[in-house]
């Protein structure tokens, strides 16, 4: 009997060891299958994503279990309705998820799961996943319980559509150095592009829209942290090495400024994750960084069923350091390659994915790479917008092209334009550039996009662009791909020295009459497709008297036959006809000439037709043929006589 009790107690202790330290945070989101209301109910897709201690579940999450999507990982628990209009339509949602990510050194695994529910229109309620326990090395909430609460709403919005909840993404564990101030921005977005988003700390009471404890043991889990709700920025300092701090946030969407002022959100999305503090390393302490064509927070449109390949490039800056692992958060079905090392200090991870229809809408990808001294890169996140296409910049062509100017242009050219395959908006991110390169000078970068830059006459230039220079009109703005091809868009600056003669004059004097440079107005033809030479209209100059004790600087101007004037400035105008303008100007003359031509040709055409038919009649009419035969016979008889 005592042996049985001993075995039973040991079993309980083993279970307690597994269950007491396995939770690593997560999120809950929801969206309608169709955001246009119809009937009395709507299908709502609920998404859950959780992170766990990897070793708590067997078999451990691995590339094989990710590919097979079995077995699931997570507690045998359910999400239950805790407030609002609960009913039989919410049957509970199973917590175990398909594994999508893992890190063996960090002993963490993550997964997500979708389930569709048919819910009556115009109701709202909150669902929660609450259990225990957090692990023991938390600075706040050590060994305590957790609670993650989200709000679902099927109330029709004032614009007549159904609401989609915001989406917020994060890695489950973020490494931060202790004793220095850290600034961490949580990426949040909303498929309803006009909504106002705000994030706040989760609250332990029942005073929020969820009317339920939203954070349990980890409320205010980062001591001394400040939160900027408008852009979800956490400012904090960790003080204990090898300890974790839990962030518990709620991201809420408001229909307009009035709703924000009244604090009446439509939905509430939870997000919980961990910061891990480490002491400053000895020697070179520069952390690695994720670089490459896709910047942090980029948005890329992808179509359902398309083959998606994305390269994550990491650079290490300290000698002797290398990338040995990474922690990630990716959608179901996305695979990740082993860590590649194509060149010294450069590492790559290749992401491959074929999105399916159930993943329509935003799908976030986050990665943080870890070097051999356990220093992590800053979190790098991008969003794939499934079901939408990113705009493509159309390659310029010489005639009837998509870009202007190309060919030879004047030095004072200031307007450059290029077309895309779909309607676009201004970039949705800061830090997107168009680059101007001097191909005459060996491909040197002369200017990023900056209207103050002045190109040099006679130089040849080409243009490249960052990812996201053009953003689509949907949701987070699917971005155009980067353009790095030096032959994609080229032009050269017109050199007046090549086509005109200049003279130089110097006139020293004490009191002069200064004529201001003529003011020009430039009219740009949006259909410009060839040279890009601008048309300049000159406003008459104005003259003022100025006293000076210094000589005039040397001035250069095109040689012209004109009366001599002290310090006068002459600017030539160039009349340029663009191909599209020429086409428009020729439309009316060509139409008139065509009509005149047809009128003139009508009588000639009639005469020709008459002559042709007369000839045919004479040739093939039987009576005339018989008459010709009889005439020939008569002539033969006459000749014989």
């Amino acid at each position: 009997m005592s042996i049985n009790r001993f075995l039973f107690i040991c079993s309980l202790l083993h279970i307690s060891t597994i269950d007491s330290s396995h939770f690593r945070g997560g999120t809950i989101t929801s969206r309608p299958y169709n955001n246009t209301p119809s009937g009395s109910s709507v299908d709502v897709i609920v998404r859950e994503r959780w992170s766990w201690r990897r070793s708590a579940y067997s078999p451990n999450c691995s590339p094989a279990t990710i590919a097979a999507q079995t077995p699931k990982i997570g507690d045998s628990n359910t999400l239950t309705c805790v407030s609002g209009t609960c009913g039989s339509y919410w049957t509970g949602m199973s917590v175990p998820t398909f594994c999508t990510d893992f890190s063996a050194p960090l002993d963490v695994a993550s997964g997500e799961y979708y389930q569709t529910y048919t819910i009556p229109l115009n109701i709202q309620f909150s669902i929660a996943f609450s259990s225990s326990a957090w692990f023991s090395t938390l600075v706040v909430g050590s060994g305590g319980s957790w609670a993650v609460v989200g709000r679902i709403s099927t109330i029709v919005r004032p614009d007549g559509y159904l609401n989609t909840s915001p989406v917020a993404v994060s890695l489950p564990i973020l490494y931060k150095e202790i004793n220095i101030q850290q600034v961490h921005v949580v990426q949040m977005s909303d498929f309803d592009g006009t909504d106002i988003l705000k994030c706040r700390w989760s609250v332990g009471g029942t005073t929020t829209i969820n009317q339920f404890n939203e954070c349990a043991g980890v409320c205010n889990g980062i001591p001394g942290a400040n939160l900027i709700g408008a852009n979800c920025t956490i400012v904090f300092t960790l003080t204990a090495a090898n300890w974790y701090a839990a962030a518990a946030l709620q991201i809420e969407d408001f229909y307009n400024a009035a709703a924000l002022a009244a604090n009446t959100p439509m939905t509430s999305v939870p997000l919980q994750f961990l910061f891990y503090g480490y002491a400053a390393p000895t020697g070179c302490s520069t952390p690695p960084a994720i670089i490459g064509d896709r910047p942090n927070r980029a948005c890329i449109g992808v179509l359902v069923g398309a083959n998606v390949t994305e390269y994550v490039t990491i650079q290490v800056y300290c000698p002797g350091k290398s990338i040995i692992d990474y922690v990630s958060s990716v959608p179901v079905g996305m695979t990740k390659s082993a860590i590649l090392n194509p060149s010294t200090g450069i590492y790559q991870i290749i992401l491959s994915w074929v999105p399916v229809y159930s993943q329509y809408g935003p799908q976030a990808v986050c990665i943080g790479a870890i070097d051999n001294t356990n220093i992590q890169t800053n979190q790098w996140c991008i969003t794939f917008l499934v079901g939408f296409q990113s705009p493509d910049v159309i390659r310029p062509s010489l005639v009837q092209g998509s870009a202007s100017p190309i060919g030879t242009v004047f030095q004072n050219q200031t307007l450059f334009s290029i077309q895309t395959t779909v309607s676009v908006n201004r970039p949705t991110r800061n830090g997107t550039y168009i680059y101007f390169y001097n191909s005459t000078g060996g491909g040197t970068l002369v200017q990023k996009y900056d209207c103050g830059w002045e190109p040099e006459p006679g130089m040849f230039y080409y243009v490249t662009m960052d990812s996201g220079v053009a953003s689509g009109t949907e949701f987070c703005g699917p971005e155009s791909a980067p353009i790095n091809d030096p032959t994609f868009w080229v032009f050269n600056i017109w050199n007046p020295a090549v086509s005109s003669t200049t003279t130089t004059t110097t006139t020293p004097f004490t009191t002069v009459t200064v004529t201001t440079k003529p003011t020009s107005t430039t009219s740009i033809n949006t259909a410009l497709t060839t040279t890009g030479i601008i048309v300049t209209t000159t406003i008459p100059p104005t003259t003022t008297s100025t006293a000076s004790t210094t000589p005039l600087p040397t001035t250069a101007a095109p040689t012209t036959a004109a009366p001599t004037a002290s310090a006068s400035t002459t600017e030539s105008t160039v009349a340029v006809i663009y191909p599209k303008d020429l086409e428009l100007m020729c439309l009316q003359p060509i139409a008139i000439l065509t009509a005149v031509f047809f009128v003139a040709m009508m009588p000639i055409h009639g005469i020709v037709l008459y002559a042709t038919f007369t000839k045919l009649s004479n040739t093939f009419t039987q009576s005339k043929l018989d008459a010709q035969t009889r005439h020939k016979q008569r002539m033969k008889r006459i000749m014989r006589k």
Side-chain angles (χ1 to χ4, degrees), residues 162-176:
L162 294 170
N163 191 62
T164 297
S165 73
V167 176
V169 294
S170 175
L171 294 174
I173 301 175
L174 297 164
Y175 280 36
K176 298 295 179 181

Side-chain angles (χ1 to χ4, degrees), residues 592-620:
I592 294 173
L593 289 175
T594 302
V596 172
F597 176 78
F598 274 105
V599 171
M601 289 298 296
M602 285 177 63
I604 299 174
H605 185 65
I607 294 171
V608 171
L609 287 177
Y610 177 78
T612 301
F613 283 114
T614 301
K615 180 65 176 177
L616 292 174
S617 176
N618 292 336
T619 303
F620 297 104

Side-chain angles (χ1 to χ4, degrees), residues 157 375 479 502:
R157 296 159 49 100
I375 297 180
E479 299 184 358
T502 62

Side-chain angles (χ1 to χ4, degrees), residues 23 25-31 45-50 78-80 90 93 95 113 126-130 147-152 165-168 210 249-251 267-272:
F23 188 62
T27 186
I28 306 169
T29 62
S30 63
R31 67 174 179 88
I45 302 172
V46 181
R47 166 184 168 266
E48 58 179 344
R49 182 172 186 88
W50 309 113
T78 58
L79 274 67
T80 58
W90 184 260
M93 185 172 182
V95 166
Y113 180 68
S126 295
I127 56 176
F129 174 34
S130 56
V148 186
V149 187
R151 189 75 167 179
I152 296 175
S165 73
V167 176
N210 288 309
L249 303 172
Q250 300 290 138
I251 291 82
T267 55
S268 183
V269 169
L271 179 67
Q272 296 186 12

Side-chain angles (χ1 to χ4, degrees), residues 131 134 138-147 213-221 246:
S131 186
W134 287 100
L138 278 179
V139 293
V140 175
S142 173
S145 59
W146 72 77
N213 188 332
E214 298 170 335
C215 44
V218 294
C219 299
N220 301 313

Side-chain angles (χ1 to χ4, degrees), residues 180-236:
I180 62 172
Q181 187 180 78
Q182 305 286 347
V183 178
H184 179 74
V185 180
V186 175
Q187 181 173 321
M188 57 180 184
S189 55
D190 196 319
F191 198 71
D192 304 313
T194 60
D195 290 354
I196 300 173
L197 300 185
K198 181 181 179 181
C199 77
R200 60 173 176 82
W201 297 116
S202 300
V203 175
T206 59
T207 58
T208 68
I209 186 176
N210 288 309
Q211 300 175 353
F212 192 80
N213 188 332
E214 298 170 335
C215 44
V218 294
C219 299
N220 301 313
I222 310 174
N226 292 318
L227 177 65
I228 303 172
N231 56 9
C232 212
T233 299
I234 306 173
V235 182
F236 64 100

Side-chain angles (χ1 to χ4, degrees), residues 42 51 65 118 139 214 259 365 407:
V42 58
S51 298
T65 62
T118 301
V139 293
E214 298 170 335
V365 172

Side-chain angles (χ1 to χ4, degrees), residues 446-496:
V446 292
Q447 187 59 269
K448 295 180 182 180
Y449 176 72
D450 185 347
C451 294
W453 167 65
E454 183 179 25
E456 296 183 29
M459 294 291 139
F460 285 75
Y461 295 91
Y462 62 90
V463 181
T464 65
M465 306 179 194
D466 275 349
S467 170
V469 166
S471 294
T473 57
E474 304 88 358
F475 181 47
C476 55
E479 299 184 358
S480 59
I483 303 295
N484 299 312
D485 184 357
T487 66
F488 185 86
W489 186 1
V490 296
F491 63 93
N492 63 290
I493 303 300
W494 177 68
N495 189 356

